[in-house]
Amino acid sequence: MAINPTADQTAPVVIDGVTPSAEVRAELARKGVPVLLAFSRGKDSLAAWLALRDAGVEVRPFHFYLVPGLEFVDESLAFFEKFFGVTIPQLPHPSLYRWLNNLTFVPPERRLIIEAAQLPEPDYVTVSRLLCTEYYGLDPDTTLTADGIRAADSPNRRTAIKGHGPLRLHVMKVSPVWDWRIRHVRAALAENKCPLPVDYEWFNRTFDGLDLRFLEPIRRNAPADYERILDWFPLCDLEFFRARL
């Protein structure tokens, strides 16, 4: 998708026929009902949280963990709980189930145990509905889940917003900062004195996989957390073998 070089890069993204995010947030505030937030700890989910809060929308966050009990993740969540004055429930990421079921970095002797466990592979919509009913006491048929998707982040995301809009009722999702550029995200973080987690110093993004770009900084900066990852996925060391590190 071509980028218009004459577009004002300081203004929000404009897509014909798509409601501006400020109007989306205003409508959510007008309805006066809480919104779930898929909180990755990353810059865009933080921006979405801050924007919703500033608009007067009550945010009910949740976090998906990829590996349970990582200290650098838990410490940042504890910080944001204090920063926003809420509790952030944690749940297993759907990828965790998928990795285990696919025997990703799992030694052969664990295969029969994992197969016998018949672990489910819940999707995001299912988990959001369970959060509504089992944790927050909300109506899953009317509660939206917010995310930090932004059209300016990639051509694919722009195409998705253009095709489906910021409000996708078939999956009960909303993108409340879809038209923000990175400068708007940075401004919101700066104005609210909201720091990014340590992930950005290590990976320039939040922890999001078991490949070397994440494993090497974790092993170097948080060896106890790396050992925790090996408890679950012992063959992750192969990433270092492949890279001859």
Side-chain angles (χ1 to χ4, degrees), residues 6 9 34-35 52 67 87 96 99 102 108 123 139 142 152 168 172 189 191 197 202-204 207 214 230 243:
T6 64
Q9 298 300 307
V35 172
L52 288 167
V67 178
T87 298
L96 176 56
W99 290 343
N102 291 338
D123 58 28
D139 183 351
T142 60
R168 284 96 60 206
M172 296 303 291
L189 296 175
E191 289 168 7
W202 298 353
F203 328 119
N204 200 33
F207 174 52
F214 298 109
L230 292 182

Side-chain angles (χ1 to χ4, degrees), residues 13 30 33 61 64 105 119 152 154 196 204 208 225:
V13 173
R30 187 191 66 78
V33 295
F64 285 133
F105 291 127
L119 297 172
S154 71
L196 293 170
N204 200 33
D208 193 31
D225 282 336

Side-chain angles (χ1 to χ4, degrees), residues 43-95:
K43 66 182 188 309
D44 293 330
S45 63
L46 281 166
W49 195 341
L50 293 168
L52 288 167
R53 186 184 69 173
D54 290 348
V57 179
E58 183 179 354
V59 176
R60 303 287 180 88
F62 65 93
H63 175 75
F64 285 133
Y65 59 78
L66 288 167
V67 178
L70 296 183
E71 290 184 5
F72 76 92
V73 173
D74 289 343
E75 287 174 1
S76 70
L77 286 172
F79 171 84
F80 289 121
E81 286 183 329
K82 184 176 181 181
F83 184 89
F84 288 103
V86 298
T87 298
I88 304 173
Q90 295 194 55
L91 302 96
H93 197 292
S95 292

Side-chain angles (χ1 to χ4, degrees), residues 37-217:
L37 173 67
F39 182 57
S40 67
R41 302 177 301 115
K43 66 182 188 309
D44 293 330
S45 63
L46 281 166
W49 195 341
L50 293 168
L52 288 167
R53 186 184 69 173
D54 290 348
V57 179
E58 183 179 354
V59 176
R60 303 287 180 88
F62 65 93
H63 175 75
F64 285 133
Y65 59 78
L66 288 167
V67 178
L70 296 183
E71 290 184 5
F72 76 92
V73 173
D74 289 343
E75 287 174 1
S76 70
L77 286 172
F79 171 84
F80 289 121
E81 286 183 329
K82 184 176 181 181
F83 184 89
F84 288 103
V86 298
T87 298
I88 304 173
Q90 295 194 55
L91 302 96
H93 197 292
S95 292
L96 176 56
Y97 293 104
R98 187 177 68 252
W99 290 343
L100 291 171
N101 284 333
N102 291 338
L103 306 177
T104 305
F105 291 127
V106 171
E109 60 269 21
R110 294 188 184 179
R111 178 181 66 85
L112 293 178
I113 297 172
I114 291 173
E115 290 178 352
Q118 297 185 330
L119 297 172
E121 293 191 21
D123 58 28
Y124 297 98
V125 176
T126 299
V127 175
S128 294
R129 291 180 67 89
L130 285 172
L131 268 168
C132 286
T133 57
E134 303 300 325
Y135 189 87
Y136 281 124
L138 300 172
D139 183 351
D141 295 323
T142 60
T143 302
L144 294 167
T145 298
D147 58 40
I149 289 177
R150 295 184 299 110
D153 201 39
S154 71
N156 286 340
R157 291 192 168 184
R158 183 184 179 94
T159 299
I161 291 292
K162 184 176 181 180
H164 303 288
L167 182 62
R168 284 96 60 206
L169 291 178
H170 65 292
V171 289
M172 296 303 291
K173 288 188 176 181
V174 62
S175 300
V177 291
W178 75 265
D179 54 1
W180 283 21
R181 301 182 188 275
I182 187 61
R183 68 174 301 276
H184 302 114
V185 172
R186 290 170 176 160
L189 296 175
E191 289 168 7
N192 288 276
K193 296 182 172 56
C194 180
L196 293 170
V198 71
D199 306 47
Y200 280 83
E201 296 178 20
W202 298 353
F203 328 119
N204 200 33
R205 57 176 301 169
T206 50
F207 174 52
D208 193 31
L210 297 177
D211 52 277
L212 193 66
R213 59 186 169 149
F214 298 109
L215 295 176
E216 192 282 326

